[in-house]
Amino acid sequence: MSIRQPKTLIVIPFGPGRDVDFLIDTVRSIHHYFKTGQTKIAIIDDSPHDLSRVLPSSERSSQVYQSQYNTTSRDEKTLKGAIWLNQISVIKREMSNEKYDVAIKMDDDALVCGDDPHLPALDFFKKKPGVGIIGAFTKRGDGSRKQEAMARKGNSVSRAINFQRLLNRIRVTKSPVVALEEFFLSMSLRYLDNLASNHLEYRRGNTCTGGCYFISSKLLNCLENVDLSICPLAYCDEPGEDTLMALLSYALGFSIGDFPSEGKTIAINWRGLPASPEALISRDITIVHPVKNDPNYSERHIRSKVAGALRE
């Protein structure tokens, strides 16, 4: 009897100001290193490019979705809630056509550099079905702890649902439309926070860093049925999409956790390459983030050094 091969969904948001060539490089790294099972890449296009035309024919197996929610506010802020809802919308559409064993959210400045990073995640989720998301939870890819960063994220949630702050923001706005947006945004986030508080492990700010995290099949099944009447959160400029995804995971009854450290692992920072390109090559790393905006290396150098060495 043949063994069923895992099905993996990889969701990549692609925003304005990013280089299409770098996106293509990330997509090619996925094609090269995901060797076990079936892999589907879904790109959320929020760029001025028409990716369905710009991507080379070899990469057009990737499904390109246009951004459903506007990710830039009237005052040019990035709306993290809209980015988050775009991801959920794509997951819902993909899950309506295919049942996936795991999903991976990757930024376009993440790079796959080792074989089958989804397999340790699948094993972990089988052993711990109550966990919905794993990634860089308590530690960054460079080994440093995240307590202070998650405390700041928790404060951003507390600010967003603070009733006095809401009243102050409504008082200063001259637009009744903006006032309604502020009200429904705060109430929607408060509702999710109240649901999440029923989970014993929930702490405001708990987050797997958004550069790359893995979502279990059980949580995917729940996300397929999520009611997008939570769309007032499309106007949310804080907290980030990764914190919102963790918040939703807890609200649906799932905890979050660290990617298993035994065997192959991931190196995910928010800013700054987790280690030098040479060190990443020598370690058993399968996904690294970020490869942009590093103070010591250009993105082009990192991609050529890491990907070039490992894909030979």
Side-chain angles (χ1 to χ4, degrees), residues 117-191:
H118 58 309
L119 296 185
L122 285 166
D123 289 341
F124 182 93
F125 287 134
K126 285 179 183 176
K127 294 172 185 173
K128 298 190 176 183
V131 180
I133 299 174
I134 58 174
F137 174 33
T138 62
K139 294 188 300 182
R140 300 181 181 89
D142 57 16
S144 61
R145 310 295 293 185
K146 288 179 53 187
Q147 286 95 329
E148 290 185 9
M150 287 198 290
R152 289 193 295 271
K153 288 177 179 289
N155 290 338
S156 72
V157 176
S158 298
R159 284 194 303 271
I161 65 176
N162 182 275
F163 195 68
Q164 187 59 54
R165 178 177 179 269
L166 170 63
L167 290 178
N168 292 338
R169 289 180 68 135
I170 289 175
R171 283 194 193 104
V172 300
T173 183
K174 297 178 180 179
S175 166
V177 173
V178 173
L180 281 173
E181 287 175 0
E182 291 280 354
F183 175 78
F184 285 116
L185 164 60
S186 183
M187 292 301 102
S188 298
L189 195 55
R190 181 181 289 271
Y191 174 68

Side-chain angles (χ1 to χ4, degrees), residues 14-68:
F14 183 71
R18 292 293 293 152
D19 191 316
V20 175
D21 287 341
F22 292 155
L23 171 67
I24 292 169
D25 186 56
T26 291
V27 170
R28 285 177 174 163
S29 76
I30 294 168
H31 287 319
H32 184 83
Y33 285 111
F34 277 76
K35 298 176 178 178
T36 303
Q38 301 174 32
T39 303
K40 172 72 175 290
I41 302 172
I43 301 170
I44 305 171
D45 187 8
D46 191 35
S47 74
H49 310 284
D50 181 354
L51 287 181
S52 59
R53 294 178 178 272
V54 173
L55 286 176
S57 56
S58 59
E59 311 307 329
R60 288 191 188 157
S61 59
S62 303
Q63 177 73 50
V64 176
Y65 291 96
Q66 294 302 310
S67 178
Q68 184 173 343

Side-chain angles (χ1 to χ4, degrees), residues 61-276:
S61 59
S62 303
Q63 177 73 50
V64 176
Y65 291 96
Q66 294 302 310
S67 178
Q68 184 173 343
Y69 295 90
N70 185 9
T71 59
T72 305
S73 68
R74 298 178 184 86
D75 54 356
E76 299 302 312
K77 288 183 179 178
T78 299
L79 297 175
K80 314 299 198 316
I83 295 172
W84 172 64
L85 285 169
N86 281 330
Q87 292 168 193
I88 294 176
S89 297
V90 166
I91 288 171
K92 284 171 67 67
R93 291 175 68 175
E94 285 291 335
M95 289 293 291
S96 68
N97 297 319
E98 186 67 78
K99 300 305 175 191
Y100 291 94
D101 299 289
V102 65
I104 305 172
K105 183 268 175 170
M106 281 178 59
D107 284 348
D108 70 286
D109 60 325
L111 193 65
V112 185
C113 50
D115 290 342
D116 291 331
H118 58 309
L119 296 185
L122 285 166
D123 289 341
F124 182 93
F125 287 134
K126 285 179 183 176
K127 294 172 185 173
K128 298 190 176 183
V131 180
I133 299 174
I134 58 174
F137 174 33
T138 62
K139 294 188 300 182
R140 300 181 181 89
D142 57 16
S144 61
R145 310 295 293 185
K146 288 179 53 187
Q147 286 95 329
E148 290 185 9
M150 287 198 290
R152 289 193 295 271
K153 288 177 179 289
N155 290 338
S156 72
V157 176
S158 298
R159 284 194 303 271
I161 65 176
N162 182 275
F163 195 68
Q164 187 59 54
R165 178 177 179 269
L166 170 63
L167 290 178
N168 292 338
R169 289 180 68 135
I170 289 175
R171 283 194 193 104
V172 300
T173 183
K174 297 178 180 179
S175 166
V177 173
V178 173
L180 281 173
E181 287 175 0
E182 291 280 354
F183 175 78
F184 285 116
L185 164 60
S186 183
M187 292 301 102
S188 298
L189 195 55
R190 181 181 289 271
Y191 174 68
L192 278 183
D193 182 69
N194 285 340
L195 287 178
S197 297
N198 293 322
H199 198 292
L200 293 176
E201 295 183 26
Y202 175 62
R203 301 291 182 274
R204 283 181 189 165
N206 279 7
T207 303
C208 287
T209 303
C212 175
Y213 53 78
F214 296 70
I215 305 173
S216 73
S217 60
K218 290 183 179 295
L219 180 53
L220 287 174
N221 290 332
C222 291
L223 292 177
E224 183 183 3
N225 299 311
V226 161
D227 181 1
L228 285 185
S229 61
I230 55 174
C231 64
L233 288 170
Y235 304 111
C236 179
D237 58 12
E238 66 169 356
E241 66 79 20
D242 47 4
T243 302
L244 289 169
M245 189 64 85
L247 179 58
L248 182 57
S249 178
Y250 284 111
L252 292 170
F254 297 91
S255 64
I256 68 175
D258 284 297
F259 191 87
S261 58
E262 63 274 8
K264 296 174 181 177
T265 188
I266 59 176
I268 308 299
N269 275 12
W270 177 43
R271 288 181 177 168
L273 199 65
S276 70

